[in-house]
Amino acid sequence: LHLAEAGKMPDAAYTIFHCTEDKSVNKQLHSDRFVAAMEKAGHSVDYRIIPDRGHCDLRPEDYQALFAACARGITG
C-alpha cells in the first residue's frame, strides 16, 4: 500500500503491530510512516510496538489483542 493511499482507506479503527526486532520489515521506514500517514488522514490507529520480538513473533497477549481487533472489525 502506498502512503498516499492512507486517505482513501475506509473509516474504521485500525490496529497495527510491529515487533522491535523485526529484521524483515524496517519499523522506521514502513510501520512508523504508515501509521503517521493514517493518523494525518484522520484515521483512528492503535499502534502496538512489541519489544524484543522478531517478525510475526507476537506474545500470547499480543495475539489476544490481534484477535480482539479482528473481531471488532468483523462485528463492528
Side-chain angles (χ1 to χ4, degrees):
L1 181 65
H2 193 275
L3 294 178
E5 299 294 313
K8 298 176 184 176
M9 301 275 295
D11 184 23
Y14 292 89
T15 303
I16 307 293
F17 293 81
H18 199 112
C19 298
T20 61
E21 298 303 314
D22 188 337
K23 305 298 184 209
S24 298
V25 179
N26 182 284
K27 181 179 169 299
Q28 292 78 23
L29 296 177
H30 296 281
S31 297
D32 289 352
R33 293 177 64 200
F34 180 68
V35 168
M38 292 290 286
E39 289 174 337
K40 183 178 179 182
H43 294 293
S44 171
V45 182
D46 177 9
Y47 189 20
R48 295 181 178 235
I49 300 167
I50 311 303
D52 304 320
R53 304 293 264 199
H55 189 71
C56 296
D57 185 23
L58 299 178
R59 302 168 299 197
E61 61 267 26
D62 302 318
Y63 274 112
Q64 288 179 343
L66 172 63
F67 297 145
C70 291
R72 284 191 301 276
I74 292 168
T75 62

